[in-house]
Amino acid sequence: MKDTLQSAKCLSPRRNTTQANSLEELVSEQLAHFGIDANTDYGKALSNTARNLYQAQADVMTLWDITTNTLGSLNKEDRVAYFNAKKFLSFQIAKILDTLQNPFRKTYQSLSSGDNSQGHYPLFDNVTALFSATPVVVRTATYVYACTEWVDDAFQGKEFTHQIYSRLLNPTNISLANAIVDREAGKFASEYMAWNFNSGMAAIDALLSNVLTHGDVLIVSRNVYGGTYQLLHDYFARSNRMDIQVAWFDGYSKDEFVDFMTQTRKENAERLEKGAKMHVYLESPCNPHGYVLDVPAICEEAHKVEALVMLDSTLATPVLHQPLQHENRAARPDYVVHSYTKDICGSGATTAGVVIGENHRMFQSKGDEVNGVKWSETLFWDVYYIKGAFLDSEKAFDVLNGMKTLEQRIISKVINTQVFTEFLAAHPKIRVNSHALDNHANAELKRKQHKHGWPCPLFTVDMAPANLQREIFTRFFDALEPAFSHQVSIGQTNTIILCPALTSHSELSTEEQRKAGIELTTMRIAMGTDNVKQLIAHFMLAARHFIDPAVEGFSKGFMSNAEIDALYQKVSMQVCEQHYTAVPGIAEILQE
């Protein structure tokens, strides 16, 4: 009885101040709270309804406990049955709520003076949206309160159902957050939480603002997005701002990282002794070359010295790499960042970003402390709650729709990347910088880390061996439209080409660009899902028209038409076989 009462109390309008010792007393308190006479016909009907709801809440909590304790031991037939029983229960509860709307609306209308000035009450029409086949786009700034104690709990972070302001929580936004956690963390999804932001840079800024304190030391992988470099260099590292000591890590392997971290700790010993902390920020695959770092090994080493690891995994997407699904927790990054703007959304029509982290680092109710992290130190209260860089519902819906085709789009891009890089690499005067090539220095780490050893669909190319004059190169580059889109973003369905030195990495000095492997004529190519043969043909035509007159016989260095066709067929068959043969067999799916 005590457990039943405790479970039911959360439904009371006096949930925090109730003196009730039974369900009957909860019912009496509820009627008294709203000034309803329990002896009237209305009061009797309301009492019966409230009593049933309190009991239902207790019974549902019992269902939850049973599910938690038995789900792992159930065979899949029973899991299907349990799921559909709960699904139908949801419809029953919603039907009761929908039935309530008619007398609710009638009562509301009776309060009007008859001049229609009272307006429409939104709750009447919202109930049936519960069962929309796609997440509902909730376009509202604020929400209707239930009662004083419920909204007080909402402001304390103790009542998720009762949202108070869309800058903080929005149902469409939350739906996306749940979806990305399920996709990224897999079977460990219950351990993680996500907060969505209105751009990838807003997500990175929020994360760094939450993790770093004044004077900290931050190890950063060299080849990060230009906007990230600018944020670190021009804000966080400035002595009159956060005075973060940024140490640029040029390597990719575990051993390189250990040596660099050891040296960084020595060089910053005085800071660290005074209380500064050291953390790690990685981008893998990195921009613009698409190289991968040995993320699991680097995480393990960083965690040995209690450094938090932040990983921008935008270019990998949850298809190529799932860093939060590593069985060894120490090998997982503490946070994963995605720019939804890129492949996850895929349309190029939305800017958005996300940070994913362990539950206790992302949110706690006010006053709580978990694993040494106080509620005020969580990403929600420390940054998200006060900065306002939230993701609106329309953008969240766009990203949710894009996620539905993510895997199919990545498979197409993997095929295109493999074909196009091999085509270019076969030319003696074109230099390809992509781990899609088996002999590339980064290929082994890619095979170790990426699903099926698939390449990142971002890489760089230059024609330095051809010794092209700047004018010849720029005329050739300009002629790559329309097959190759001259745009600055990546991760869309169209193939995009640009010169990083003039665009995405223009924030870096010439010296910093050189350290990042970027020359003035370096071309960054982000493969799309378009017809790779069409791309190849256009590339060849542009070379014939603009390069051949200056470099005699340049086009003769390309593969023959038959070789290109054979390459396309070989790669397409190989990637499809890797994907479809990896799908679990029926026996495994049915396994109890």
Side-chain angles (χ1 to χ4, degrees), residues 296-308:
I298 290 174
C299 287
E300 287 184 287
E301 295 302 322
H303 288 149
K304 288 178 181 178
V305 296
E306 298 184 345
L308 295 177

PDB file of all heavy atoms in Angstrom, residues 296-308:
ATOM      1  N   PRO A 296      39.399   5.122 -29.746  1.00  0.00           N
ATOM      2  CA  PRO A 296      39.326   4.311 -28.516  1.00  0.00           C
ATOM      3  C   PRO A 296      40.624   4.315 -27.715  1.00  0.00           C
ATOM      4  O   PRO A 296      40.598   4.470 -26.489  1.00  0.00           O
ATOM      5  CB  PRO A 296      39.001   2.907 -29.047  1.00  0.00           C
ATOM      6  CG  PRO A 296      38.355   3.136 -30.369  1.00  0.00           C
ATOM      7  CD  PRO A 296      39.039   4.326 -30.948  1.00  0.00           C
ATOM      8  N   ALA A 297      41.749   4.182 -28.403  1.00  0.00           N
ATOM      9  CA  ALA A 297      43.035   4.140 -27.695  1.00  0.00           C
ATOM     10  C   ALA A 297      43.362   5.488 -27.073  1.00  0.00           C
ATOM     11  O   ALA A 297      43.871   5.563 -25.946  1.00  0.00           O
ATOM     12  CB  ALA A 297      44.144   3.724 -28.657  1.00  0.00           C
ATOM     13  N   ILE A 298      43.075   6.571 -27.781  1.00  0.00           N
ATOM     14  CA  ILE A 298      43.330   7.908 -27.237  1.00  0.00           C
ATOM     15  C   ILE A 298      42.446   8.165 -26.019  1.00  0.00           C
ATOM     16  O   ILE A 298      42.898   8.735 -25.022  1.00  0.00           O
ATOM     17  CB  ILE A 298      43.102   8.970 -28.329  1.00  0.00           C
ATOM     18  CG1 ILE A 298      44.212   8.878 -29.388  1.00  0.00           C
ATOM     19  CG2 ILE A 298      43.054  10.371 -27.728  1.00  0.00           C
ATOM     20  CD1 ILE A 298      44.007   9.785 -30.590  1.00  0.00           C
ATOM     21  N   CYS A 299      41.198   7.734 -26.082  1.00  0.00           N
ATOM     22  CA  CYS A 299      40.298   7.890 -24.932  1.00  0.00           C
ATOM     23  C   CYS A 299      40.834   7.165 -23.709  1.00  0.00           C
ATOM     24  O   CYS A 299      40.828   7.704 -22.592  1.00  0.00           O
ATOM     25  CB  CYS A 299      38.905   7.362 -25.278  1.00  0.00           C
ATOM     26  SG  CYS A 299      37.961   8.407 -26.400  1.00  0.00           S
ATOM     27  N   GLU A 300      41.298   5.940 -23.894  1.00  0.00           N
ATOM     28  CA  GLU A 300      41.829   5.169 -22.769  1.00  0.00           C
ATOM     29  C   GLU A 300      43.002   5.890 -22.121  1.00  0.00           C
ATOM     30  O   GLU A 300      43.101   5.952 -20.887  1.00  0.00           O
ATOM     31  CB  GLU A 300      42.255   3.778 -23.249  1.00  0.00           C
ATOM     32  CG  GLU A 300      41.102   2.843 -23.562  1.00  0.00           C
ATOM     33  CD  GLU A 300      41.569   1.454 -23.934  1.00  0.00           C
ATOM     34  OE1 GLU A 300      42.108   1.272 -25.042  1.00  0.00           O
ATOM     35  OE2 GLU A 300      41.405   0.544 -23.101  1.00  0.00           O
ATOM     36  N   GLU A 301      43.894   6.409 -22.952  1.00  0.00           N
ATOM     37  CA  GLU A 301      45.069   7.092 -22.405  1.00  0.00           C
ATOM     38  C   GLU A 301      44.686   8.395 -21.719  1.00  0.00           C
ATOM     39  O   GLU A 301      45.219   8.733 -20.654  1.00  0.00           O
ATOM     40  CB  GLU A 301      46.090   7.357 -23.523  1.00  0.00           C
ATOM     41  CG  GLU A 301      46.682   6.105 -24.143  1.00  0.00           C
ATOM     42  CD  GLU A 301      47.369   5.227 -23.119  1.00  0.00           C
ATOM     43  OE1 GLU A 301      48.020   5.769 -22.196  1.00  0.00           O
ATOM     44  OE2 GLU A 301      47.257   3.987 -23.222  1.00  0.00           O
ATOM     45  N   ALA A 302      43.780   9.142 -22.294  1.00  0.00           N
ATOM     46  CA  ALA A 302      43.348  10.401 -21.696  1.00  0.00           C
ATOM     47  C   ALA A 302      42.658  10.164 -20.362  1.00  0.00           C
ATOM     48  O   ALA A 302      42.849  10.920 -19.396  1.00  0.00           O
ATOM     49  CB  ALA A 302      42.419  11.147 -22.652  1.00  0.00           C
ATOM     50  N   HIS A 303      41.847   9.119 -20.291  1.00  0.00           N
ATOM     51  CA  HIS A 303      41.111   8.827 -19.067  1.00  0.00           C
ATOM     52  C   HIS A 303      42.029   8.382 -17.923  1.00  0.00           C
ATOM     53  O   HIS A 303      41.667   8.504 -16.750  1.00  0.00           O
ATOM     54  CB  HIS A 303      40.047   7.768 -19.339  1.00  0.00           C
ATOM     55  CG  HIS A 303      38.904   8.289 -20.150  1.00  0.00           C
ATOM     56  ND1 HIS A 303      38.177   7.500 -21.020  1.00  0.00           N
ATOM     57  CD2 HIS A 303      38.360   9.534 -20.240  1.00  0.00           C
ATOM     58  CE1 HIS A 303      37.238   8.239 -21.594  1.00  0.00           C
ATOM     59  NE2 HIS A 303      37.335   9.470 -21.128  1.00  0.00           N
ATOM     60  N   LYS A 304      43.216   7.890 -18.265  1.00  0.00           N
ATOM     61  CA  LYS A 304      44.166   7.503 -17.220  1.00  0.00           C
ATOM     62  C   LYS A 304      44.614   8.702 -16.391  1.00  0.00           C
ATOM     63  O   LYS A 304      45.004   8.554 -15.235  1.00  0.00           O
ATOM     64  CB  LYS A 304      45.382   6.814 -17.852  1.00  0.00           C
ATOM     65  CG  LYS A 304      45.099   5.418 -18.389  1.00  0.00           C
ATOM     66  CD  LYS A 304      46.346   4.817 -19.037  1.00  0.00           C
ATOM     67  CE  LYS A 304      46.053   3.427 -19.607  1.00  0.00           C
ATOM     68  NZ  LYS A 304      47.253   2.845 -20.285  1.00  0.00           N
ATOM     69  N   VAL A 305      44.557   9.892 -16.995  1.00  0.00           N
ATOM     70  CA  VAL A 305      44.944  11.107 -16.271  1.00  0.00           C
ATOM     71  C   VAL A 305      43.711  11.973 -15.976  1.00  0.00           C
ATOM     72  O   VAL A 305      43.819  13.172 -15.728  1.00  0.00           O
ATOM     73  CB  VAL A 305      46.002  11.915 -17.052  1.00  0.00           C
ATOM     74  CG1 VAL A 305      47.286  11.118 -17.185  1.00  0.00           C
ATOM     75  CG2 VAL A 305      45.485  12.328 -18.430  1.00  0.00           C
ATOM     76  N   GLU A 306      42.523  11.333 -16.031  1.00  0.00           N
ATOM     77  CA  GLU A 306      41.248  11.974 -15.690  1.00  0.00           C
ATOM     78  C   GLU A 306      40.909  13.154 -16.595  1.00  0.00           C
ATOM     79  O   GLU A 306      40.252  14.109 -16.180  1.00  0.00           O
ATOM     80  CB  GLU A 306      41.247  12.416 -14.220  1.00  0.00           C
ATOM     81  CG  GLU A 306      41.404  11.243 -13.257  1.00  0.00           C
ATOM     82  CD  GLU A 306      41.305  11.661 -11.803  1.00  0.00           C
ATOM     83  OE1 GLU A 306      41.405  12.872 -11.523  1.00  0.00           O
ATOM     84  OE2 GLU A 306      41.143  10.779 -10.946  1.00  0.00           O
ATOM     85  N   ALA A 307      41.362  13.097 -17.833  1.00  0.00           N
ATOM     86  CA  ALA A 307      41.003  14.117 -18.815  1.00  0.00           C
ATOM     87  C   ALA A 307      39.705  13.700 -19.503  1.00  0.00           C
ATOM     88  O   ALA A 307      39.514  12.521 -19.825  1.00  0.00           O
ATOM     89  CB  ALA A 307      42.110  14.280 -19.849  1.00  0.00           C
ATOM     90  N   LEU A 308      38.807  14.644 -19.721  1.00  0.00           N
ATOM     91  CA  LEU A 308      37.589  14.374 -20.474  1.00  0.00           C
ATOM     92  C   LEU A 308      37.901  14.469 -21.964  1.00  0.00           C
ATOM     93  O   LEU A 308      38.679  15.324 -22.394  1.00  0.00           O
ATOM     94  CB  LEU A 308      36.497  15.378 -20.113  1.00  0.00           C
ATOM     95  CG  LEU A 308      35.974  15.323 -18.680  1.00  0.00           C
ATOM     96  CD1 LEU A 308      34.952  16.433 -18.451  1.00  0.00           C
ATOM     97  CD2 LEU A 308      35.355  13.968 -18.378  1.00  0.00           C
TER      98      LEU A 308
END
